[in-house]
Amino acid sequence: MSLSVFITGMTMGLSLIVAIGSQNAFLLRQGLRNEHVFAVSLTCALSDAILIALGVAGFGTIIGMAPWLDPVMRYGGAAFLIFYGAANMRSALRSSDTLASGNSAEKQSLKAAVLTCFALTWLNPHVYLDTVMLLGSISTQFSGFEFMFAAGAILASFLFFFSLGYGAKWLRPLFAKPSAWRILEAIIAFVMWGIAARLLIGL
């Protein structure tokens, strides 16, 4: 029973984080640029672990009882995503010298990378819906085995984020071309803006 619950947790965890989102797009970019990959992957995984643990512990009920949190997170997250998307679009329009190899002179500091990842994770209300609310509610179906369910979901997060961050190296030859970097930056910008739009219209 405990193994099946663990596997269910892994399956549910993967199904929620595989979709392209602001967090994954940022991690992919860091992996391609080979900048602070371990720190960013760890930040993503630990953030998910904390949120999943809170959800299984019943924190979702507390959030549901505080409706004022929804607009605060929604508009705050949308504002950040719009700003970050604009920064990516600006990068997409820069000269080819800056994006030629992904090792530009304007490297992001470790602190800036971790803080950006932290913001993309914790300012996105969808993250709370997926981890705290959804996984938290599903875990209640496994009375007495909630810990195993949470452990499976947390392991899925660690496996996915580190695989994405370090697996991006296989795509580096493709992004040796300046045009590929411009396209990636533009795609990330539109992903950020798309998520912001969904937050603003309440989807």
Side-chain angles (χ1 to χ4, degrees):
M1 175 64 177
S2 59
L3 179 60
S4 63
V5 172
F6 181 83
I7 294 175
T8 300
M10 282 191 65
T11 303
M12 289 303 304
L14 283 174
S15 68
L16 293 175
I17 61 177
V18 166
I20 296 176
S22 57
Q23 187 185 52
N24 294 348
F26 177 72
L27 178 55
L28 175 62
R29 181 178 182 275
Q30 293 299 113
L32 287 168
R33 295 173 66 90
N34 195 27
E35 287 184 11
H36 316 301
V37 180
F38 180 81
V40 174
S41 299
L42 185 62
T43 299
C44 290
L46 286 178
S47 294
D48 255 26
I50 293 171
L51 290 167
I52 291 170
L54 288 174
V56 173
F59 191 69
T61 303
I62 298 177
I63 293 181
M65 295 174 61
W68 58 269
L69 284 175
D70 179 68
V72 170
M73 291 189 298
R74 180 184 302 173
Y75 295 116
F80 179 81
L81 290 170
I82 291 172
F83 173 80
Y84 189 77
N88 282 108
M89 185 57 70
R90 178 172 174 267
S91 294
L93 299 175
R94 285 180 178 176
S95 67
S96 59
D97 291 336
T98 301
L99 300 176
S101 64
N103 294 316
S104 67
E106 297 183 16
K107 282 185 176 292
Q108 193 174 36
S109 68
L110 173 61
K111 179 180 178 179
V114 171
L115 287 177
T116 298
C117 181
F118 190 82
L120 289 172
T121 301
W122 292 84
L123 291 180
N124 183 0
H126 290 163
V127 171
Y128 296 89
L129 292 175
D130 289 345
T131 55
V132 177
M133 302 294 286
L134 184 56
L135 290 179
S137 63
I138 293 175
S139 70
T140 61
Q141 300 177 22
F142 307 101
S143 179
F145 294 92
E146 292 90 347
F147 173 78
M148 293 302 296
F149 179 87
I154 289 171
L155 178 59
S157 293
F158 273 84
L159 291 175
F160 175 79
F161 288 125
F162 277 91
S163 296
L164 178 61
Y166 285 99
K169 66 181 180 181
W170 301 108
L171 297 175
R172 285 175 195 162
L174 173 64
F175 288 91
K177 297 180 179 180
S179 58
W181 272 103
R182 290 198 186 94
I183 292 172
L184 175 66
E185 296 283 9
I187 289 174
I188 292 177
F190 284 118
V191 168
M192 301 298 176
W193 290 339
I195 295 173
R198 290 176 61 192
L199 292 177
L200 291 174
I201 62 178
L203 292 180

